[in-house]
Amino acid sequence: MKGNQNIMILTHWSYQDALIQAYTLPYVYIIRKNLDAGRRIILITFEQKHLKLDEKNLKEKQKFLMSKGIELITFDYTNFNFSIIYKSFIHLFKLTRIIKKYRIGIIHAWCTPAGSIGYILCKLTGVKLIIDSYEPHAEAMVENQTWKKNSIKYHILFHLEKKLTSYASVLISATEGMRKYAELKYNFTPKNFLVKPACVDLSIFNNKRLKNSELMKLYGLENKIVCVYAGKFGGIYLTNEIFRILVAAEKKWGDSFRALLLTNHPREELEKWANETGFNLDKLICKFVSHEDIASYIGLGDFAITPVKPIPTKRFCSPIKDGEYWGIGLPVIITKNISDDSDIIKSNNAGYVLEELTKVEYENAISKIDLLLKSENNLNERISSIAKNYRSYRIAEEVYFKIYSQDSFGLD
């Protein structure tokens, strides 16, 4: 895209959050490559207290990003409570000033919560709007029982999702199915609609990361069958159901089995679920790992799990962890109707899709994994090829080239 419009990358996450590091920044770098040298990218983050950078680290990150042609501006995160209206006016005022100061012509927002802020800013300033990772959020929050359908939170966000859907110049979704969702729920048929799943860097997430000998020795994983899960508990993810899968694995493999949970969730809570389900704590390894090291830790696994709650709106999401698991070559146990991933796993014989959250299905899943591990010598290589087909950055590069180099949508 030619011209001199600068771009605001608008998120609602903290800079250190994996959603910025793994799900946003790699794409911002790709966008940067498609822009003329004189154009600027302003990255906006909202910092939660437990993730907030101190002043020294913030300046280091800002200097690093500036070297890549990206300017980082941070705001304090605000929970959805009675103070949000007052604080939202302050944020909108400051963001409007940034738009004018930096001559922003396009707001490129990640997901609909940030997209809703972007929509309001665009209406106030007249700049153009792109929604990335376009999927339902308001309805998902009701389905996973975080919000109630009669709550003001739900009604505000759903209303804004409907508005931004018809207003945005481009919508970038993780699945083609989101186009039909927009027709049914928002009464609008998107025209400038692109599909980009959660891609991963296959130069990092590949089967060369399997079974790091130092880490295997450190955690006593030699000659063990290891289930790995990298992610959160609760919200859109299952909780004690995860441990019921692990119980089935322990029943199958006994002392040869270990569970490696890569999470920042409190160990006390994990142990509570383990005790409730009867999972042996001696077989449980919990560790929070920085994103730079996560590939080597995922590589300690023999198989992985993606325990997204099987609620209707998750058909339109794109779990980044699946691409990371596949890149490294791990078969995956996943719940049904998750993005396109459940179908990909089933059709490629790359794990097991849980049709129900029952003891029988957990045992069926473990039996399937056992069969795959025993019967295929090239299992890791075969599954790595799935990542190349469905999660390569090549897909993202083509999407952003259309938007920012070809200017296929008349944004300039």
Side-chain angles (χ1 to χ4, degrees):
M1 182 190 289
K2 303 296 183 184
N4 55 13
Q5 293 186 98
N6 295 321
I7 298 164
M8 174 184 285
I9 303 293
L10 185 60
T11 77
H12 204 234
W13 304 312
S14 303
Y15 181 80
Q16 295 192 97
D17 194 312
L19 288 167
I20 292 287
Q21 297 302 312
Y23 197 62
T24 306
L25 272 179
Y27 301 124
V28 178
Y29 298 148
I30 294 173
I31 292 170
R32 175 72 265 177
K33 289 193 299 185
N34 283 284
L35 300 178
D36 296 338
R39 298 180 66 183
R40 303 167 77 175
I41 290 181
I42 312 302
L43 170 62
I44 305 295
T45 64
F46 284 80
E47 302 298 312
Q48 297 188 52
K49 285 184 179 180
H50 70 286
L51 290 172
K52 190 172 183 179
L53 294 161
D54 61 37
E55 188 173 348
K56 179 182 177 183
N57 282 324
L58 176 60
K59 290 186 180 302
E60 289 176 354
K61 300 299 183 185
Q62 288 173 324
K63 183 178 179 181
F64 168 77
L65 288 173
M66 189 67 76
S67 72
K68 294 182 175 292
I70 301 162
E71 298 175 53
L72 172 63
I73 298 176
T74 64
F75 286 76
D76 288 335
Y77 181 86
T78 301
N79 289 318
F80 204 115
N81 53 35
F82 289 110
S83 69
I84 194 169
I85 297 176
Y86 168 71
K87 290 180 179 177
S88 293
F89 277 116
I90 294 175
H91 290 332
L92 287 170
F93 175 73
K94 290 181 178 179
L95 286 166
T96 301
R97 291 185 65 184
I98 290 170
I99 289 169
K100 292 178 179 178
K101 176 182 177 181
Y102 290 93
R103 293 170 48 239
I104 300 295
I106 297 170
I107 294 176
H108 190 130
W110 247 262
C111 297
T112 59
S116 297
I117 300 171
Y119 165 74
I120 295 169
L121 288 169
C122 289
K123 292 292 285 185
L124 290 172
T125 62
V127 305
K128 295 181 179 179
L129 178 66
I130 296 172
I131 304 294
D132 213 319
S133 298
Y134 172 64
E135 63 181 81
H137 188 79
E139 202 159 68
M141 295 294 278
V142 171
E143 289 174 354
N144 67 34
Q145 299 181 346
T146 302
W147 292 354
K148 294 185 181 298
K149 194 155 189 175
N150 62 357
S151 68
I152 189 169
K153 301 176 187 179
Y154 167 78
H155 286 291
I156 289 173
L157 184 55
F158 186 85
H159 174 75
L160 288 170
E161 287 177 347
K162 186 175 183 178
K163 290 291 186 180
L164 66 84
T165 294
S166 59
Y167 182 88
S169 297
V170 184
L171 298 169
I172 307 170
S173 179
T175 66
E176 177 61 35
M178 188 61 196
R179 191 197 301 262
K180 188 66 174 177
Y181 182 93
E183 293 174 357
L184 292 173
K185 297 290 184 175
Y186 305 138
N187 300 316
F188 183 80
T189 302
K191 296 179 178 62
N192 296 340
F193 184 90
L194 299 170
V195 177
K196 181 209 71 183
C199 303
V200 298
D201 188 343
L202 298 180
S203 69
I204 296 173
F205 292 92
N206 57 62
N207 54 28
K208 293 179 182 177
R209 298 286 183 152
L210 283 166
K211 304 298 182 183
N212 179 290
S213 57
E214 291 183 9
L215 292 177
M216 292 286 286
K217 185 175 181 180
L218 177 64
Y219 293 103
L221 299 177
E222 296 102 328
N223 302 315
K224 305 296 183 186
I225 297 172
V226 180
C227 172
V228 64
Y229 171 53
K232 299 177 181 179
F233 291 76
I236 67 169
Y237 298 102
L238 300 172
T239 52
N240 61 0
E241 295 89 348
I242 296 171
F243 288 88
R244 298 189 191 283
I245 298 172
L246 301 181
V247 166
E250 184 181 18
K251 179 181 176 182
K252 181 73 173 180
W253 293 303
D255 192 53
S256 296
F257 176 70
R258 293 291 184 274
L260 176 60
L261 305 182
L262 304 174
T263 181
N264 62 357
H265 205 85
R267 185 177 176 95
E268 299 78 26
E269 191 77 16
L270 301 177
E271 289 184 355
K272 173 177 172 288
W273 288 318
N275 288 328
E276 288 175 352
T277 55
F279 184 69
N280 189 341
L281 294 177
D282 292 340
K283 297 180 175 63
L284 182 64
I285 302 168
C286 306
K287 185 171 178 60
F288 176 68
V289 179
S290 66
H291 191 259
E292 306 93 80
D293 299 322
I294 195 72
S296 294
Y297 278 83
I298 290 176
L300 298 176
D302 294 282
F303 70 101
I305 53 176
T306 299
V308 178
K309 289 180 180 176
I311 55 180
T313 52
K314 293 300 106 179
R315 170 59 86 177
F316 312 111
C317 73
S318 183
I320 191 169
K321 58 177 59 65
D322 285 339
E324 295 171 345
Y325 295 154
W326 292 339
I328 289 171
L330 304 187
V332 177
I333 296 173
I334 192 170
T335 43
K336 66 179 180 180
N337 297 329
I338 304 304
S339 187
D340 296 327
D341 295 8
S342 300
D343 293 337
I344 290 170
I345 287 169
K346 190 170 186 177
S347 62
N348 286 275
N349 193 29
Y352 190 85
V353 179
L354 294 165
E355 295 298 328
E356 297 177 322
L357 300 177
T358 63
K359 180 181 177 182
V360 170
E361 272 293 84
Y362 303 147
E363 291 175 350
N364 289 340
I366 295 303
S367 294
K368 176 64 174 181
I369 295 297
D370 186 57
L371 179 63
L372 286 171
L373 296 178
K374 287 178 177 176
S375 62
E376 284 197 53
N377 292 327
N378 68 336
L379 178 65
N380 300 126
E381 290 82 359
R382 183 171 69 78
I383 292 178
S384 289
S385 69
I386 295 173
K388 293 176 184 176
N389 291 334
Y390 294 102
R391 289 294 193 273
S392 168
Y393 274 140
R394 169 189 51 80
I395 300 169
E397 287 168 353
E398 291 173 359
V399 164
Y400 295 127
F401 180 79
K402 285 180 182 178
I403 296 171
Y404 288 109
S405 286
Q406 289 185 333
D407 191 19
S408 301
F409 306 104
L411 292 168
D412 204 10

